[in-house]
Structure formats: structure tokens, C-alpha cells
Amino acid sequence: MLARLGGEPLAFVVHVGDIKAGGDSACTDAIYLDRRSRLDASRHPLVLTPGDNDWTDCRRESNGKMDPLERLARMREVFFSDGWSLGRSRMPLARQEACAERDGVACRCPGLPENRLWTKNGVAFVTIHVVGSNDNRGFDAANDAEQHCRSAANRAWLENAVRLAESPGIRGLAIVTQANPWEASRDKVYEGLLAQVAAGARRLAKPVLFVHGHTHIHRVDRPFRDGQARPVENAVRLESFGSPVVGWVRVSVDPNDTQLFRIEPHADQASGG
């Protein structure tokens, strides 16, 4: 599919996470390095946000019973060590470096190097690291602490993106993550994200596109509701394809369209898994 994308006139490619299978696929350094090599072969700049298969689910016995926190740290080393995209033609990206939460003067929750922000043709694009598998919450104290800090960092980074999108020269905002926040979860772990996106879209009064993966059902709809349960009409949800369908979605920015984002799905083929 990457080879087919290479033949398309694209400004960049975004991968919404899950660079490996969720089971029967050990989270080894070798598989990370293999995926880095494959993604770096992209003709276009490629931006990656992590998925739950890539580190959270590494605790599963079928994935080698590896430590998710250690694997996340290794993912950051392999994929997010600098301020550039992946791909043969690399694109500069802002990355989250500011502390998200402090304990006095000490930084308790640092920024996330995988959280990225860039602009193109009057649109702001932001990735936030929210994953499936209950966003890594509810397994043990160490992983709960990780999820708490990552959530704090995501909130700060998303607010930063909304503020940028409020600028007069920015026509809209695209938010990219892996998790499907409408999926049932313990502790209502995704509700804060849904509320923040809905409130941000209301504040912006500009087109907002929320892109995610995880549940493998391509769809385009408007499920966002504000605090009074009213539809947020300027916020559109796009879910990418997933196994068993190998596909991609072209998103074009059309300044003459009041919706701004034009969405064209391309379901290429069925995979074997």
C-alpha cells in the first residue's frame, strides 16, 4: 500500500497506529526497526502516532509478556527521537517538549515526543497519543501513573493546537489519534477527550476533522455532542480502514468548500488477517 501511495500526489501521509498485530506478534526491537525501515521508505513525509498494538498490548502472553512502559520508551527512541517526520522526504514537525504537570517546581508529567503539530495550506494538524485497550489504564499502579501523565500531556497539547487554529490565517484543525474514544471503556477513560474536542470545536467555529483508527470500521459521521448534548456540526469523525481491509483515505483541503475537508476512501484489498 505504501508503494501505491508513492504514486499519488500527496503532501504527506499519516499512520494512525498499530504497526504490528495485536496478538501472536512479539514486541521486539527487531519488529520496531523493521517497521521504521518500511515507513522510512515512504516517498512522502509520513507522520506516525502510536497504537495499542505497538506497546500497551505487549503485556499479552501472545506478544511475549513484555513490559509496556519499557516498550513505549523504546518506541520513542526508534520513531520519535527528533523533530522530523518519517519517510524519504522528511517534514519538520513541532513536538511537545513543555512540562504538562508539575509537582511544585519539579516536572511530574513531561511532554510527549510523539505528539506532533504542523500546518499546511492554512490547516493545523495535530497528533495526540491516545490508544485503545482502555488507554493503558487499570492494569497496575505504574501504568495508571503513565496514563495519568500522558492524558495531562494530551490535554495540554490539544489545547495548544486549538489556540493555534484560532489564529486568523488558520481555516481548520485536523486531530489524529489511534483510539476510538466512542468505544466502551472502564472508568470512562475517553470521555475527557470527547468533551475537550467538542468544546474546542465549539470555540473555534471552524471545520474540525477528528481522525482515528483502532476499531477497523471505515466511517465518516458527526457524533460529537457538547455539554448540553447538542450536536457539534463543525466536527467530523473519520475512522480509517483496518484488517481485514487494506485501505487508505485521501483527505483534501478545499478552501471553496464550507466543510473544508474532502474525504475519499480507497479500499485497496482484503488482507489475510
Side-chain angles (χ1 to χ4, degrees):
M1 187 172 69
L2 279 173
R4 289 191 291 277
L5 290 176
E8 299 285 341
L10 306 176
F12 54 84
V13 175
V14 180
H15 193 305
V16 295
D18 286 355
I19 55 173
K20 59 176 288 298
D24 299 318
S25 175
C27 303
T28 60
D29 281 9
I31 202 164
Y32 289 164
L33 294 171
D34 173 79
R35 298 307 190 262
R36 171 68 197 248
S37 176
R38 290 171 186 252
L39 298 178
D40 265 342
S42 169
R43 176 190 158 204
H44 307 293
L46 190 147
V47 182
L48 172 69
T49 190
D52 56 345
N53 290 4
D54 308 330
W55 66 276
T56 308
D57 297 344
C58 296
R59 59 169 52 89
R60 294 176 179 171
E61 190 166 349
S62 63
N63 290 332
K65 292 188 71 173
M66 305 176 83
D67 177 6
L69 301 184
E70 186 276 332
R71 288 291 81 192
L72 175 56
R74 184 62 176 137
M75 267 205 87
R76 288 171 171 156
E77 291 174 354
V78 172
F79 295 98
F80 306 107
S81 62
D82 60 28
W84 295 84
S85 71
L86 307 177
R88 294 196 309 244
S89 174
R90 303 181 80 200
M91 178 173 67
L93 307 168
R95 61 176 179 167
Q96 188 178 21
E97 296 179 342
C99 180
E101 186 173 288
R102 292 188 177 276
D103 184 3
V105 296
C107 182
R108 173 165 45 190
C109 299
L112 309 179
E114 61 272 21
N115 277 355
R116 303 299 171 107
L117 178 66
W118 68 102
T119 60
K120 186 77 173 178
N121 295 338
V123 175
F125 297 85
V126 64
T127 64
I128 53 173
H129 185 180
V130 185
V131 295
S133 297
N134 211 53
D135 201 31
N136 197 41
R137 185 168 183 82
F139 296 96
D140 57 41
N143 284 277
D144 283 354
E146 182 281 326
Q147 192 272 339
H148 169 86
C149 277
R150 186 163 38 81
S151 292
N154 284 327
R155 286 192 298 273
W157 194 237
L158 182 54
E159 172 61 20
N160 184 55
V162 172
R163 288 179 182 174
L164 173 62
E166 288 178 315
S167 305
I170 301 297
R171 298 194 299 255
L173 172 65
I175 304 163
V176 182
T177 195
Q178 190 258 343
N180 177 355
W182 290 273
E183 184 181 40
S185 65
R186 301 188 301 279
D187 307 318
K188 301 180 179 179
V189 73
Y190 302 116
E191 286 199 356
L193 172 61
L194 290 173
Q196 186 179 7
V197 173
R202 277 271 188 243
R203 211 169 96 202
L204 273 178
K206 299 177 182 180
V208 173
L209 180 65
F210 183 86
V211 183
H212 71 84
H214 184 53
T215 40
H216 299 205
I217 301 170
H218 169 64
R219 52 190 144 190
V220 180
D221 56 12
R222 287 179 169 82
F224 283 99
R225 300 291 183 269
D226 66 12
Q228 286 73 49
R230 297 172 302 184
V232 182
E233 295 293 346
N234 61 311
V236 173
R237 179 261 291 266
L238 162 62
E239 181 170 359
S240 65
F241 291 99
S243 177
V245 176
V246 177
W248 61 284
V249 181
R250 184 198 304 271
V251 177
S252 303
V253 173
D254 184 353
N256 297 316
D257 187 339
T258 56
Q259 302 298 319
L260 187 62
F261 299 106
R262 186 155 35 89
I263 298 168
E264 304 170 41
H266 296 263
D268 288 345
Q269 64 187 52
S271 72

